[in-house]
Amino acid sequence: MNRRTFLGAGLSLGFASSLAGCATRLAPDGGPESPSTTTRDADSPFPPPPADAPLGYTHVRPDGNRVVDGTGSLPDTDSVDLALDATPEWVVGVPHDDGVLLGVVTAAGAQAITVTDGTATVVDLALDAPPGPPLLVGGSEPAFAPALGSVTTHPVPTIGGWASVTSEGVIRLPGGENAAIDAIPDARIVSAAGRLYVLAARTRDYGHGVLGDDVEAGSVAVLDPTGGVEAELAPPSGVIEGIAPIVADVDGDGRREVVVTASDADRGARLVALSESGPSLEGPAVGTRFRWRHQLAVAPFGPDGETELAVVKTPHIGGTAEFYRAIGGELDLVAARDGYSTHSIGSRNLDNAVAGDLDGDGRVELLVPDDPHRELAGLRRVEGGVDEMWRLSLGGRLTSNLCVVPDSDGVVVAAGRAGALRVWVA
């Protein structure tokens, strides 16, 4: 066994906190009423982080693709339980010095943990946690991103400051006109190649409501860094049931697609890889309304390193891990395995899975919770199916997102349960 020692000591973690105002009013039905396109955020007191500052997203990468670099040695490592003042709701991490810095958000506030040379250091913080999901900014003065805009999401760095979503659906940017795209209030802005992608054109046409509210999106708005709308991508039918797309090359043509889960009342959920330059790719629908698919990661999962899209179908009623591949202009289901769940009804935490070479065998695994949310399973694609290679016990029911961060020795894995954080250094 690869045994490590964990000790307690101290660290301080700073926070910047301020709620931005809004320039729009709500219509009687709760939707937006003529969002302003002239309100500016040029006087924001929060400068952007340094260009080389590491960023800790709950969805791992800025483009929303939950794939971690680095090579681990799971399951051949010990875990440690770190007692906290309250139950972890969110965990994010960044490389820090020669190890990893974790920021843990609970209902009582926030705490910081360092993991360096096999030693974990915990300190209670007498500071307010961000009101929604956190983004951790590393560097010489680590801090959570400022609380700007809607309290159900977080801002992201952009040229000259921060891009944020207001609760009324406006994207606020520094030094330029805002984009009035009717974004959903809990949208996570993702970015790739200097562009911003956000779920827009809010609708209540599909009353499933399992992701925190009954507001879904009709399209993905593609913005330039100044807020100009370059494109609006929409599935052929249905709503987009999620809070963020994945921006990744799904079909291997060297161009990124925008992956979303589209749902409608007749067929339920299906995967769609939207394209700006050609036809979109679609997968099969569940076949029944109010049955969801949770998109997770695009990675070389295939037995010979083929690019595949990993999802969990119906995580609320007995989940199935599924793997899709772009074949003949469609997303074909190529393998599946029952017994896994990546989401709880009503939660805005959609980040309970990570892909990466977590056991050091040169292959990419998908790390997902089991149906009871009490163990993590390492899934590997093999010829003709999916094998479960190993499991990690959580010591209780999972209460946070799943955090995996590369460090100089491998990867650090962290997950919350009631009153504690369990950490593996692999």
Side-chain angles (χ1 to χ4, degrees):
M1 298 291 284
N2 179 17
R3 298 183 180 276
R4 312 243 186 164
T5 303
F6 292 81
L7 304 173
L11 175 75
S12 64
L13 179 64
F15 290 80
S17 177
S18 174
L19 283 179
C22 303
T24 64
R25 295 180 293 119
L26 289 179
D29 65 354
E33 183 177 276
S34 301
S36 169
T37 59
T38 58
T39 302
R40 296 177 182 268
D41 197 20
D43 297 327
S44 169
F46 304 107
D52 59 351
L55 301 173
Y57 293 89
T58 61
H59 49 67
V60 184
R61 293 188 176 187
D63 59 13
N65 197 9
R66 300 172 183 86
V67 181
V68 67
D69 296 324
T71 300
S73 57
L74 297 172
D76 295 325
T77 184
D78 288 339
S79 64
V80 64
D81 292 332
L82 304 171
L84 302 178
D85 290 343
T87 296
E89 298 176 353
W90 299 101
V91 187
V92 284
V94 293
H96 182 72
D97 294 335
D98 293 326
V100 165
L101 172 69
L102 300 175
V104 184
V105 177
T106 74
Q111 293 181 265
I113 298 169
T114 56
V115 183
T116 306
D117 294 329
T119 299
T121 301
V122 183
V123 136
D124 294 333
L125 297 175
L127 294 169
D128 291 338
L135 168 63
L136 182 61
V137 180
S140 59
E141 297 182 1
F144 284 123
L148 301 171
S150 170
V151 297
T152 55
T153 186
H154 61 70
V156 299
T158 190
I159 296 174
W162 298 87
S164 60
V165 179
T166 74
S167 59
E168 286 78 20
V170 174
I171 305 300
R172 303 183 76 225
L173 296 115
E177 290 189 355
N178 296 339
I181 61 171
D182 201 13
I184 61 174
D186 50 356
R188 308 282 185 88
I189 303 172
V190 301
S191 61
R195 307 163 91 196
L196 306 176
Y197 300 77
V198 61
L199 298 190
R202 68 175 73 180
T203 176
R204 289 188 170 92
D205 286 346
Y206 186 68
H208 196 188
V210 294
L211 304 183
D213 57 37
D214 63 352
V215 178
E216 311 299 348
S219 66
V220 180
V222 184
L223 312 177
D224 66 32
T226 65
V229 180
E230 296 188 0
E232 289 194 56
L233 308 177
S237 63
V239 306
I240 297 173
E241 198 172 10
I243 58 176
I246 295 173
V247 183
D249 183 3
V250 176
D251 57 8
D253 66 353
R255 293 173 294 189
R256 297 177 179 88
E257 284 76 39
V258 181
V259 181
V260 298
T261 299
S263 300
D264 61 52
D266 295 328
R267 298 180 293 162
R270 69 195 189 281
L271 298 170
V272 182
L274 302 169
S275 173
E276 296 180 63
S277 57
S280 297
L281 308 173
E282 288 197 42
V286 173
T288 304
R289 67 180 305 183
F290 298 161
R291 297 292 183 266
W292 184 54
R293 277 189 168 103
H294 185 185
Q295 63 191 40
L296 300 173
V298 176
F301 290 111
D304 294 315
E306 301 93 339
T307 297
E308 294 180 354
L309 168 60
V311 311
V312 166
K313 182 182 73 173
T314 61
H316 312 129
I317 56 172
T320 301
E322 298 182 327
F323 293 81
Y324 290 80
R325 194 183 301 173
I327 301 174
E330 298 180 344
L331 293 175
D332 283 1
L333 176 62
V334 292
R337 185 183 178 101
D338 294 338
Y340 309 100
S341 174
T342 49
H343 183 256
S344 297
I345 289 179
S347 173
R348 287 189 170 90
N349 173 13
L350 273 64
D351 301 313
N352 278 341
V354 176
D357 182 9
L358 303 176
D359 58 12
D361 69 342
R363 295 283 311 281
V364 175
E365 294 82 36
L366 180 68
L367 188 62
V368 290
D370 64 357
D371 269 340
H373 289 190
R374 291 182 173 272
E375 293 184 309
L376 302 177
L379 304 182
R380 182 183 303 154
R381 278 279 288 113
V382 296
E383 289 292 344
V386 182
D387 280 354
E388 183 181 295
M389 307 307 298
W390 35 262
R391 286 200 175 205
L392 306 174
S393 173
L394 292 166
R397 183 174 174 81
L398 180 66
T399 63
S400 72
N401 62 295
L402 180 59
C403 178
V404 182
V405 187
D407 74 354
S408 58
D409 296 324
V411 297
V412 172
V413 179
R417 70 167 195 267
L421 186 75
R422 179 159 285 192
V423 179
W424 295 261
V425 182

